[in-house]
Amino acid sequence: MADDSGVKLPFGFDSIEQYARELVVTYNEYEFLPKICIVAFFVSPQWDRVPKEWQQFFDSPQFDISSLIPMAARGIVPEDAPESLRRYIDATFRLRFPRDPTPAHDSGQTKIVEYFLDGMNGKKSKEVVELSQLIDGVAKETGSRLVVDVGAGQGYLSRVLAYSNWLSRLSVLAVDFSEGQKRGAEALHGYMVKKLKCKRARAEGYVWEERFRERLDHQVLRVDMDSTGELVSTAQTVCQSKREERWMLCGLHACGDLSSAILKAFAESDAAAVVLVPCCYNLISEPASDAETTSQAAPAAAAGFPLSQSAFSSVRLGTNALKTACQATGRWDVDAVSVLGVFKRSYHRALLQYMMVSHGQLSAEDTIPVVGRVTSNDLKAVMTREDVSLQLGKLAHDDAGAGMEFAVYALAALEKMKHPWRPTVAQCVECQHGMKHGLQQVAAAWTLMAMVGPLVESMLVVDRALYLRECCGAGGSVRAFALFDVVESPRNVVLVAQRAGTVGTRNTRGEEGGIHC
């Protein structure tokens, strides 16, 4: 179902405003879940944040941790789950933004595609093929001949838009803040041109002309919420130099505030359209709270959320909630073994934090140290140390297995942290044995937090769609829908906006080909 603005909505909602209100109400009801700190789980009473009847359910000896995977991935709830838990799980599925992909084109392609996909993995190539055809269609619809690709990276999308013979061969300004990325993109560009000049390309119908080089420019430019003016002026200058009447913005998996900045640049400019796939929600900024602001404080930077005027003005998500939006619970069924491994590593990390505090190596108020990923090689290196292997040998009995596994993790993690403390294996085993239901609780808490993620992501999508509608005004067009396969590309939602006065405009200068959206 989609509302009048073209934003795809969950079943049962007639307007984006109605959907936004329900998201806020539901998130406010369950906002206690993202506030759980897994690392400090045993140091402070994090489990007490969970309703009592949920605690009793997850602490039950009959509870199977593996049931958390279909619960998060498909909403399958164990029969003996309390009704309040069922309501929560139902809400997270009922309200999540629709993620089934909407094809943007007829997928027929020519062999020439292979020249533009060098260096991409399968996931990236599919995303570039899908998005480039959508962008090409919007460019045709709005009469745009210049596309500004923000966060262009190695230039994969830029090259397809500029040179592919199954699209309109648009002029492209590829922008990235990294000089290294620019050099890499230019090197790949040169390699691609060599291939397009070869006999095989000509035999397959691609005729290279030197004037084609002018279609693609790479520039290093930092783009954030406070520097959108420079992006706009640069784009307008390039547009004028190429004698193009209209230009548009795009971004593929633009991280955090970069997505918000792209939309802000669209709002502040005369760009005809924007096509954006956001990513890395954990890097989105929010306004400082009143407690963080003083009369002497410097002017606050523009925040990446909320962007719209009203719907989410009272919502403050925080870092933990934004991190949950990066979760991909829909993929848990695909690799259940990896998910169970995440549960165990999270449990071990929480146990280590508890041990360090209880043995005076840290205080509960200290900043939580970053461990990073403890690899299998890190664990093997600890196990092969003579002093550790001797301790493990002395404790090799049936009821010490889980504790010994934690001991190996703890020693490897402390080495990664470059912390001098080295507890004995016996101390680690004793600590692990003292945490009844600890693994079940951490796994359940992790899952409950991750299931908030779709609500948070939905709020971010709707906030941005409402902001675009405010910018486009009457006569404009705003769409939001899933474009890629959600299992392969979890961040699969695309935002498309066309400014009033450009909807339905046809470009008369472009070559034939591509699609019409």
Side-chain angles (χ1 to χ4, degrees), residues 282-348:
N282 57 305
L283 299 178
I284 293 175
S285 62
E286 295 184 87
S289 65
D290 293 339
E292 297 169 324
T293 306
T294 68
S295 57
Q296 288 79 31
F305 174 85
L307 292 175
S308 61
Q309 292 293 321
S310 57
F312 301 100
S313 58
S314 63
V315 177
R316 290 295 178 271
L317 296 171
T319 302
N320 275 8
L322 289 167
K323 285 180 179 178
T324 67
C326 300
Q327 296 297 320
T329 53
R331 302 173 70 178
W332 284 17
D333 268 346
V334 177
D335 192 357
V337 173
S338 293
V339 176
L340 293 172
V342 169
F343 292 161
K344 184 171 287 187
R345 287 193 298 273
S346 300
Y347 168 56
H348 286 166

Side-chain angles (χ1 to χ4, degrees), residues 421-441:
W421 183 53
R422 295 295 181 269
T424 65
V425 172
Q427 286 175 314
C428 294
V429 171
E430 181 182 3
C431 176
Q432 191 275 335
H433 280 186
M435 290 298 171
K436 187 179 181 182
H437 308 309
L439 176 58
Q440 289 178 218
Q441 292 173 355

Side-chain angles (χ1 to χ4, degrees), residues 310-493:
S310 57
F312 301 100
S313 58
S314 63
V315 177
R316 290 295 178 271
L317 296 171
T319 302
N320 275 8
L322 289 167
K323 285 180 179 178
T324 67
C326 300
Q327 296 297 320
T329 53
R331 302 173 70 178
W332 284 17
D333 268 346
V334 177
D335 192 357
V337 173
S338 293
V339 176
L340 293 172
V342 169
F343 292 161
K344 184 171 287 187
R345 287 193 298 273
S346 300
Y347 168 56
H348 286 166
R349 179 64 187 90
L351 275 179
L352 176 59
Q353 187 72 11
Y354 174 76
M355 270 195 77
M356 294 182 76
V357 172
S358 50
H359 286 265
Q361 302 300 314
L362 290 172
S363 77
E365 291 73 32
D366 284 340
T367 301
I368 293 175
V370 176
V371 173
R373 184 173 178 82
V374 177
T375 67
S376 58
N377 287 336
D378 295 326
L379 299 174
K380 288 176 184 176
V382 168
M383 292 176 67
T384 55
R385 278 176 26 198
E386 184 177 356
D387 60 326
V388 175
S389 61
L390 284 172
Q391 293 182 65
L392 292 173
K394 291 177 182 178
L395 292 169
H397 48 82
D398 291 342
D399 62 346
M404 291 164 64
E405 188 178 3
F406 165 59
V408 172
Y409 168 86
L411 293 169
L414 287 164
E415 289 186 6
K416 295 274 283 191
M417 292 164 58
K418 301 190 185 319
H419 196 284
W421 183 53
R422 295 295 181 269
T424 65
V425 172
Q427 286 175 314
C428 294
V429 171
E430 181 182 3
C431 176
Q432 191 275 335
H433 280 186
M435 290 298 171
K436 187 179 181 182
H437 308 309
L439 176 58
Q440 289 178 218
Q441 292 173 355
V442 169
W446 178 270
T447 303
L448 294 170
M449 291 172 64
M451 292 181 71
V452 177
L455 299 181
V456 176
E457 182 176 19
S458 299
M459 285 193 285
L460 295 169
V461 170
V462 171
D463 172 60
R464 289 166 168 180
L466 287 170
Y467 175 68
L468 287 170
R469 194 172 70 175
E470 293 162 6
C471 300
C472 290
S477 167
V478 177
R479 290 176 284 161
F481 56 94
L483 182 60
F484 314 132
D485 177 78
V486 68
V487 174
E488 193 168 20
S489 303
R491 306 283 78 83
N492 72 337
V493 175

Side-chain angles (χ1 to χ4, degrees), residues 30 50-58 82 84-85 88 448:
Y30 298 109
V50 176
K52 289 293 183 185
E53 58 180 348
W54 297 13
Q55 293 181 35
Q56 292 167 2
F57 170 70
F58 292 119
S84 59
L85 177 60
Y88 166 65
L448 294 170

